[in-house]
Amino acid sequence: WGCLPKSVGLLLMAALAAMGACVGSLAATRTQECLGASTKTMLIASLLVCMSVPVYGMLGFVSDRIGFREGWEVVLFAGVYGLGLGPVLGFSRTLFGMLLPPGRESLYFSLYQITDKGSGMLGPLVVSGVTQITGSMRLAYIYSLLFIGIPACVLLRLDCERGHAARHHRSELTEPDGVQNSAAELDSTVALC
C-alpha cells in the first residue's frame, strides 16, 4: 500500500468508489442529455468503464510494474470503477423498467433484486474460490472481465424498439377499453431506450 496503512487504503477505496459512483451517475446523465444517446448506449459505455478495472489487473500477467502491483493502483481504480458502476446501476434499472409488461413491474423488479443480491454473493465466492485453488487473485480478473463483458455483448443485440413494441402490444391486451398510450408518449420512451 506504499506509504498508506492498509486500513487507510481500504477506507479510501470505499470512499472513492462511492464518490466515483455519484460523479459517474451525474456525468453520465449529463452526457446522455448532451449527446442524445440512448439508455442502452450509455449502459454499454458504462460497462466498458467497469471493464477497465479487470483489464488493468490482467496487465499484471505481462508486466512487473503495473496491474495492481501497488496499493495506490487499487485505491485509484476503486474511483474509476465507481465512475462506471453508478451509471450501470441507474441505466440498467431504467432500461429494464422500459421493457417490462405494464402492471407487472413489482413482480419483475422483485426478481431483479433477488438476482442482483445473488450475484453480489456469487462474485466474491467465485473470486475467493479461484484465489484459493490457484494461489493467485490475478486469475479472478478473467472471471470479472467475462461477467462484465458478456452482458455488454448481449446488450449490443438487444432490440429496444421491438421490446417496447411487445410491451405496448401486451398493454393493449391487458388495459381496460378506451385506455391507450399516446403515440408521442410511446415514441419518447422508445427514443430513450
Side-chain angles (χ1 to χ4, degrees):
W1 291 82
C3 62
L4 295 175
K6 198 172 194 176
S7 59
V8 173
L10 291 173
L11 181 64
L12 274 174
M13 281 176 49
L16 285 174
M19 287 188 296
C22 290
V23 170
S25 292
L26 292 171
T29 303
R30 179 65 60 104
T31 302
Q32 182 183 27
E33 291 171 358
C34 290
L35 299 178
S38 69
T39 299
K40 176 181 143 180
T41 301
M42 293 304 296
L43 180 55
I44 293 169
S46 300
L47 285 169
L48 290 175
V49 172
C50 289
M51 287 172 60
S52 69
V53 175
V55 167
Y56 185 80
M58 289 168 51
L59 289 175
F61 284 125
V62 295
S63 172
D64 292 334
R65 298 182 62 193
I66 60 172
F68 297 125
R69 300 279 182 190
E70 301 290 332
W72 65 265
E73 293 172 292
V74 178
V75 171
L76 176 70
F77 269 90
V80 171
Y81 185 72
L83 286 173
L85 183 62
V88 164
L89 295 174
F91 288 130
S92 63
R93 283 173 174 80
T94 302
L95 185 60
F96 187 69
M98 290 189 313
L99 299 174
L100 292 179
R104 311 273 303 210
E105 292 87 355
S106 62
L107 172 72
Y108 284 99
F109 270 108
S110 297
L111 180 63
Y112 184 98
Q113 281 301 109
I114 291 169
T115 58
D116 186 39
K117 299 303 177 204
S119 65
M121 288 182 357
L122 181 64
L125 185 65
V126 170
V127 169
S128 65
V130 167
T131 303
Q132 285 185 348
I133 291 169
T134 64
S136 170
M137 193 171 172
R138 197 159 303 282
L139 289 174
Y141 292 125
I142 296 169
Y143 164 80
S144 299
L145 182 64
L146 288 174
F147 279 83
I148 297 171
I150 290 171
C153 292
V154 169
L155 280 170
L156 287 170
R157 299 193 40 86
L158 177 68
D159 186 347
C160 289
E161 289 182 24
R162 185 172 168 213
H164 186 72
R167 177 186 191 271
H168 177 63
H169 176 71
R170 173 134 172 92
S171 70
E172 287 178 346
L173 296 176
T174 59
E175 288 182 351
D177 290 337
V179 179
Q180 292 199 3
N181 295 325
S182 70
E185 187 180 346
L186 290 174
D187 289 342
S188 66
T189 305
V190 171
L192 289 173
C193 185

